[in-house]
Amino acid sequence: MTDVCSDDGGNLLSWCAVSDVGADILDLAETMITSNGIQYEPVIFELTPQQKLWHRTLLLIQNRLREEHSLQEVLYKSVLKGAPTALPPREGTASEPLSACRIHGHVYVNKVAGNFHITVGKPIHHPRGHAHIAAFVSHDTYNFSHRIDHVSFGEEIPGIINPLDGTEKITSNHNEMFQYFITVVPTKLHTSKVSADTHQFSVTERERVINHAAGSHGVSGIFMKYDTSSLMVTVSEQHMPLWQFLVRLCGIIGGIFSTTGMIHGFVGFCFDIVCCRFKLDPHVNNCAAPVLTDNHVQE
């Protein structure tokens, strides 16, 4: 699932609806995934105050998750409890001109490495690969500054924040390439509230300006290269029955009393040994006067 808002400049209605921008997938098996499930919608790139607040909150959560992943569950329950993880709709009627192209939808892909890319020109497939028709498009009419609202693989789970959610890249260059290298790990989730087969992923980023004269070759656009891991992660949640908790609690309390009694007996044993060694009787007052005996015999 993808939801990308790209600032393409120029006449955005033609960019989204006619033939100037294209998004498709080409996998390792040289299979071109048709983009029938992808929709193009002219929108405003600037966010409203409510959307900016949502975006800042999402970026704050992403930074915390990168620092300490154990905060993830707490953040889900406290910050996003009952709140949608998608960008809230624009409130009111916008009077600004449409300045971006929003690309969103669902696409079924093969379980092999592939490349989802958004670049200039509609894609066409031929026996030696595929190409994008962009010969009649001027470089000064587009800009691939973009904001990623949501990207996920597999079944979508409410409340889950993916690594690319909230990513924003702004550039003034009209010929720049943005690359995201994604490693997808199949994940089975079984908890008391949800049971789903989904995918989690990690990502690394790279961006560079295309300048053929300087030796930096390539095609400007947004490229997401993904690969599926051969391993699978299973996350399960188990709850302890009440009777088992009570039995363990009684065992802990009994263990504390037993250990305390053993320590008390050991300390008393050591004290008795010390008293015998120095011939001390704790029950006799050692400061008492000695007893005198009378050796005279009375006749």
Side-chain angles (χ1 to χ4, degrees):
M1 175 179 178
T2 58
D3 190 355
V4 180
C5 184
S6 178
D7 183 7
D8 297 315
N11 187 352
L12 271 300
L13 185 60
S14 64
W15 268 89
C16 288
V18 187
S19 62
D20 288 340
V21 63
D24 66 321
I25 299 175
L26 183 67
D27 60 22
L28 193 61
E30 298 296 332
T31 302
M32 180 179 175
I33 310 297
T34 58
S35 56
N36 296 332
I38 299 178
Q39 302 177 13
Y40 304 85
E41 177 186 356
V43 293
I44 301 173
F45 190 76
E46 291 296 328
L47 300 177
T48 62
Q50 180 184 1
Q51 292 175 332
K52 289 182 179 179
L53 177 61
W54 175 89
H55 188 255
R56 287 195 298 267
T57 303
L58 183 59
L59 292 180
L60 177 62
I61 295 174
Q62 289 283 26
N63 293 332
R64 294 289 181 87
L65 292 179
R66 292 189 184 99
E67 294 175 359
E68 188 173 356
H69 292 276
S70 61
L71 292 175
Q72 188 168 356
E73 184 178 356
V74 177
L75 290 170
Y76 287 170
K77 293 181 179 180
S78 60
V79 179
L80 295 177
K81 185 176 182 180
T85 55
L87 181 70
R90 183 178 295 269
E91 64 274 10
T93 303
S95 58
E96 298 89 349
L98 302 177
S99 60
C101 181
R102 182 169 182 252
I103 302 175
H104 59 95
H106 296 77
V107 178
Y108 290 94
V109 299
N110 300 322
K111 291 185 178 181
V112 295
N115 181 8
F116 170 69
H117 49 275
I118 303 171
T119 186
V120 183
K122 291 297 181 181
I124 58 173
H125 187 64
H126 56 84
R128 294 188 178 182
H130 86 297
H132 290 257
I133 303 177
F136 303 101
V137 182
S138 174
H139 291 286
D140 297 332
T141 60
Y142 57 81
N143 184 292
F144 282 98
S145 298
H146 60 278
R147 181 186 306 111
I148 302 177
D149 297 333
H150 180 74
V151 172
S152 63
F153 294 83
E155 184 179 351
E156 185 179 2
I157 302 176
I160 296 297
I161 299 177
N162 295 282
L164 283 177
D165 295 354
T167 301
E168 185 179 49
K169 301 291 183 180
I170 306 297
T171 179
S172 59
N173 196 294
H174 295 282
N175 198 11
E176 190 163 351
M177 173 189 290
F178 298 91
Q179 293 177 305
Y180 300 95
F181 301 93
I182 300 173
T183 302
V184 184
V185 180
T187 305
K188 288 186 177 182
L189 185 62
H190 300 285
T191 65
S192 59
K193 296 183 179 181
V194 63
S195 179
D197 292 338
T198 183
H199 296 74
Q200 57 182 339
F201 62 90
S202 60
V203 61
T204 55
E205 305 174 8
R206 182 192 180 193
E207 56 184 87
R208 61 187 177 92
V209 177
I210 304 300
N211 189 348
H212 299 286
S216 179
H217 304 291
V219 179
S220 58
I222 305 170
F223 297 84
M224 297 183 183
K225 299 182 179 181
Y226 61 90
D227 192 6
T228 305
S229 175
S230 58
L231 302 177
M232 176 179 289
V233 177
T234 302
V235 180
S236 60
E237 183 183 24
Q238 297 180 353
H239 294 275
M240 183 183 301
L242 180 60
W243 66 268
Q244 187 175 359
F245 170 75
L246 295 176
V247 170
R248 292 191 177 185
L249 181 61
C250 294
I252 293 174
I253 296 175
I256 293 175
F257 276 103
S258 300
T259 305
T260 306
M262 293 174 60
I263 295 175
H264 181 269
F266 178 74
V267 171
F269 175 74
C270 293
F271 186 74
D272 292 340
I273 293 178
V274 172
C275 291
C276 293
R277 182 179 182 88
F278 293 97
K279 296 181 180 180
L280 297 176
D281 188 358
H283 301 289
V284 178
N285 187 2
N286 297 326
C287 298
V291 179
L292 298 178
T293 57
D294 191 2
N295 296 327
H296 299 280
V297 177
Q298 186 177 2
E299 297 180 351

